[in-house]
Amino acid sequence: MIAAEIFEPIDHESVVDTVVGKVETMIVDGVLKDGARLPSEREMADAFGVSRPKLREALQTLEARGLVHVRHGDGTYIAKLTGRAMSPAMLALYSRHGEAFYDYLEYRREQEAFATRLAAQRATAADKERLSAIREELEAAWLGQDAEAESEADFRLHHAVVDASHNTTLIHMMASVYDLTRRGIFYNHDLLRSIDDSGRKLLDQHIEIIESVLSADPVRAEEAARDHMDYVEESIRRGRELQRREQRARMRFKTGV
Amino acid sequence: MIAAEIFEPIDHESVVDTVVGKVETMIVDGVLKDGARLPSEREMADAFGVSRPKLREALQTLEARGLVHVRHGDGTYIAKLTGRAMSPAMLALYSRHGEAFYDYLEYRREQEAFATRLAAQRATAADKERLSAIREELEAAWLGQDAEAESEADFRLHHAVVDASHNTTLIHMMASVYDLTRRGIFYNHDLLRSIDDSGRKLLDQHIEIIESVLSADPVRAEEAARDHMDYVEESIRRGRELQRREQRARMRFKTGV
DNA sequence: GTTAAGTGGTAAAGTTTATATACCTGCTAT
DNA sequence: ATAGCAGGTATATAAACTTTACCACTTAAC
């Protein structure tokens, strides 16, 4: 006999939710771009196969989330989302769409490699001092088993490397990207720790990044950044897989089989 | 202005569909096993947070698909799905749940390696003749650009290797597994060709499998099988990714941006 | 065997959600 | 100034879902 508890409440998506999700996905995927004018409500409702009132409800939700802008008598427009960097609306959007995660990692892999290479080429004495200080923070946090401090130092390191690249566009873009990270939306430090519980490998990779920049070796720097992001991606994949398996195992345990 | 055509009709999942999908997933994941007795309809409806009539509709759908067995006055039971090998109901179930796909490949990778190793150790003269004939078919199909014949010969090869293993349990199990393949549910030959358009690599791998068996080298045989399955998995991953990207690109094209 | 408890089977009424239609108001171009 | 099209609003209708009640069958305890 199977315990009833394993049948958790289903979340039945309403028509409105479905439409909202679809439009959001189209924005995330880049199908609907900044400032684009959407077809009329009547046309869209017809295309989606839903009634106009329901489509309007969906548009209202999207407007409340800052993703579209509805103008009476004129039309509906996709909001300016990537104007300066990533807007808060875009950040929240990414957090609701996990599929975009690996796209994000792919993007970050290239950006980190680029930033680290530039840093190795351009880091000033002040940049190098800052990196050295962060290196000590990282090691102290690791020795002290202080996960919070470790996470914070990790964040500061990536930030310092980007600053050392001395490319203002890159700095602005990455600032908003790191905001995603800091919110724990993507880069989940606890998840990483659960895989590589010593944290030693992460520390070694961070140190390699710092040393490659300090030694002004752009090739080595780029490689260090790529290796680090590859490891992060692989760890997260494994962590998610592990979580999925444990979830199933718990459910099997409940069944008493 | 964005064309209305890109907003394709949404498929709003009903409560019933959602429940059916959830239960199917639990069966695929092995949380609900053969012959297990489900809680009463009242309990399940309560646990899922849906009304009993809707839960019953879901159970009726599941029963029509041969996944559960409802007995008046007694209770509802998960059907015997893996009794002899894989039942038709189980095959259909896998086809509806793409996530199970990589589990399937993982399983097949091990089984193929096992079967090929045994074949290298046990193949009789008749088995070897059969394999040689298939080798000629494969090469002829490749030279003749005959995708249909190629696909058929591919299927026959895998079948012949399993037969040459002379393990009846394995033969029976793989027979039902290959049924999935033949239905094109998992192993999509066209998809593979779109990645490896010459088909040369697939042909080489098939020949390597045949030769390793003919030379009675179990280590080489196992490796050949693993290499082949790794390549198939990687190709399918890339093919799916490609399809996803092309889909997006088509939609962007429609927007005229 | 009889019976009580628990199971699936069925039907009706009520509520929520979604659709269809009509009409109003505001913007923009001619 | 006005015609056409956009969003804004309201109401009637239909579909989906829930709630409640009661019936029929199976099992197991008595």
Side-chain angles (χ1 to χ4, degrees):
Chain A
M1 179 57 166
I2 286 173
E5 297 93 65
I6 69 168
F7 301 98
E8 293 166 3
I10 67 166
D11 52 337
H12 175 221
E13 210 171 40
S14 68
V15 167
V16 176
D17 295 338
T18 309
V19 171
V20 168
K22 199 121 183 179
V23 174
E24 285 191 341
T25 300
M26 293 171 96
I27 295 173
V28 171
D29 286 352
V31 175
L32 299 178
K33 294 174 185 170
D34 264 26
R37 185 169 188 269
L38 296 175
S40 72
E41 293 180 351
R42 289 168 179 82
E43 275 185 276
M44 285 183 70
D46 196 50
F48 273 136
V50 302
S51 63
R52 207 179 135 216
K54 288 296 158 187
L55 179 85
R56 282 177 53 71
E57 274 186 56
L59 287 179
Q60 279 157 19
T61 301
L62 290 166
E63 186 167 34
R65 289 180 182 174
L67 297 174
V68 303
H69 188 205
V70 182
R71 296 179 50 176
H72 189 177
D74 182 1
T76 305
Y77 299 81
I78 301 294
K80 297 272 185 301
L81 294 169
T82 52
R84 184 165 302 279
M86 275 185 151
S87 68
M90 197 67 180
L91 296 179
L93 185 55
Y94 264 75
S95 74
R96 284 194 298 274
H97 290 261
E99 328 89 67
F101 175 64
Y102 295 109
D103 286 347
Y104 159 79
L105 281 180
E106 187 179 62
Y107 167 83
R108 254 201 67 182
R109 185 174 186 276
E110 291 310 302
Q111 297 299 305
E112 294 282 354
F114 179 46
T116 311
R117 191 179 76 227
L118 289 182
Q121 291 170 327
R122 303 176 182 173
T124 64
D127 290 326
K128 292 183 178 179
E129 266 182 50
R130 187 176 164 196
L131 286 169
S132 297
I134 290 171
R135 175 185 175 148
E136 281 168 26
E137 282 178 43
L138 281 164
E139 286 173 337
W142 184 72
L143 288 171
Q145 304 265 0
D146 185 343
E148 180 101 20
E150 206 170 353
S151 194
E152 182 61 25
D154 181 345
F155 176 80
R156 290 162 62 120
L157 166 60
H158 288 285
H159 221 305
V161 169
V162 171
D163 283 347
S165 77
H166 293 276
N167 175 314
T168 53
T169 304
L170 191 58
I171 291 170
H172 278 111
M173 291 303 294
M174 294 307 278
S176 57
V177 168
Y178 287 141
D179 187 44
L180 284 172
T181 305
R182 201 167 213 177
R183 293 184 192 197
I185 291 167
F186 286 154
Y187 182 107
N188 189 326
H189 198 272
D190 294 336
L191 195 66
L192 285 184
R193 287 301 294 259
S194 73
I195 293 297
D196 175 19
D197 56 7
S198 74
R200 182 74 225 185
K201 186 151 187 178
L202 280 176
L203 178 62
D204 288 345
Q205 291 184 335
H206 284 144
I207 288 174
E208 170 63 12
I209 288 172
I210 292 170
E211 288 190 345
S212 67
V213 172
L214 293 182
S215 66
D217 184 340
V219 175
R220 180 178 162 202
E222 184 166 345
E223 192 181 332
R226 285 223 158 83
D227 284 349
H228 177 53
M229 289 308 296
D230 284 344
Y231 177 71
V232 167
E233 175 167 357
E234 179 56 25
S235 296
I236 289 174
R237 273 191 208 279
R238 282 167 56 204
R240 287 188 166 185
E241 184 64 18
L242 192 68
Q243 286 182 336
R244 226 187 74 213
R245 285 185 184 149
E246 281 180 350
Q247 167 79 4
R248 286 190 201 165
R250 269 200 302 281
M251 290 175 82
R252 285 203 196 85
F253 183 69
K254 281 191 195 169
T255 67
V257 180
Chain B
M1 180 57 165
I2 286 174
E5 298 93 64
I6 69 168
F7 301 98
E8 293 165 4
I10 68 165
D11 53 337
H12 176 221
E13 209 172 41
S14 68
V15 167
V16 175
D17 294 339
T18 309
V19 171
V20 168
K22 200 121 182 179
V23 174
E24 285 190 340
T25 299
M26 292 170 97
I27 295 173
V28 171
D29 286 352
V31 174
L32 299 177
K33 293 173 185 169
D34 264 25
R37 186 169 186 269
L38 296 175
S40 73
E41 293 180 351
R42 289 167 181 81
E43 276 184 275
M44 286 184 70
D46 197 50
F48 273 136
V50 303
S51 64
R52 208 179 134 217
K54 288 296 159 186
L55 179 84
R56 281 178 52 72
E57 274 186 56
L59 288 179
Q60 280 156 19
T61 301
L62 290 167
E63 187 166 34
R65 290 180 181 173
L67 297 174
V68 302
H69 188 204
V70 182
R71 295 179 49 177
H72 189 178
D74 182 0
T76 304
Y77 299 82
I78 301 294
K80 297 273 185 299
L81 294 169
T82 53
R84 184 166 302 278
M86 273 187 152
S87 68
M90 199 67 181
L91 296 179
L93 183 56
Y94 265 74
S95 74
R96 283 194 298 274
H97 289 261
E99 327 90 67
F101 174 64
Y102 295 110
D103 286 349
Y104 158 80
L105 280 181
E106 187 178 63
Y107 167 84
R108 255 201 65 182
R109 184 173 187 276
E110 290 310 303
Q111 297 298 306
E112 294 282 354
F114 179 47
T116 311
R117 190 179 77 227
L118 289 182
Q121 291 169 330
R122 302 177 182 173
T124 65
D127 290 325
K128 291 183 177 180
E129 266 182 50
R130 187 176 164 195
L131 286 170
S132 296
I134 290 171
R135 175 187 176 145
E136 282 168 26
E137 282 178 41
L138 282 165
E139 286 173 337
W142 184 73
L143 287 171
Q145 304 265 2
D146 186 344
E148 181 99 21
E150 206 171 352
S151 194
E152 183 61 24
D154 180 346
F155 176 79
R156 290 162 62 117
L157 166 61
H158 287 286
H159 222 305
V161 169
V162 171
D163 284 346
S165 77
H166 294 276
N167 175 314
T168 54
T169 304
L170 191 59
I171 290 170
H172 279 111
M173 291 302 295
M174 295 307 278
S176 57
V177 168
Y178 286 140
D179 188 43
L180 282 174
T181 305
R182 203 166 212 177
R183 293 183 192 198
I185 291 165
F186 287 154
Y187 182 108
N188 189 326
H189 198 273
D190 295 334
L191 195 67
L192 283 184
R193 285 304 293 258
S194 73
I195 293 298
D196 175 17
D197 55 7
S198 73
R200 182 71 225 186
K201 187 152 187 177
L202 278 177
L203 178 63
D204 287 345
Q205 291 185 335
H206 284 145
I207 288 174
E208 170 63 12
I209 287 172
I210 292 171
E211 288 191 343
S212 66
V213 172
L214 293 182
S215 66
D217 183 339
V219 174
R220 180 178 162 201
E222 185 166 346
E223 192 181 331
R226 285 222 158 85
D227 284 348
H228 178 54
M229 289 308 295
D230 284 343
Y231 178 71
V232 167
E233 176 167 356
E234 179 57 23
S235 297
I236 289 173
R237 274 192 207 278
R238 282 166 57 202
R240 288 188 167 185
E241 183 66 17
L242 192 68
Q243 286 182 337
R244 227 187 73 214
R245 287 185 184 152
E246 280 180 351
Q247 167 77 7
R248 286 190 199 165
R250 269 199 302 281
M251 290 174 82
R252 284 203 196 87
F253 183 70
K254 281 191 197 170
T255 67
V257 179

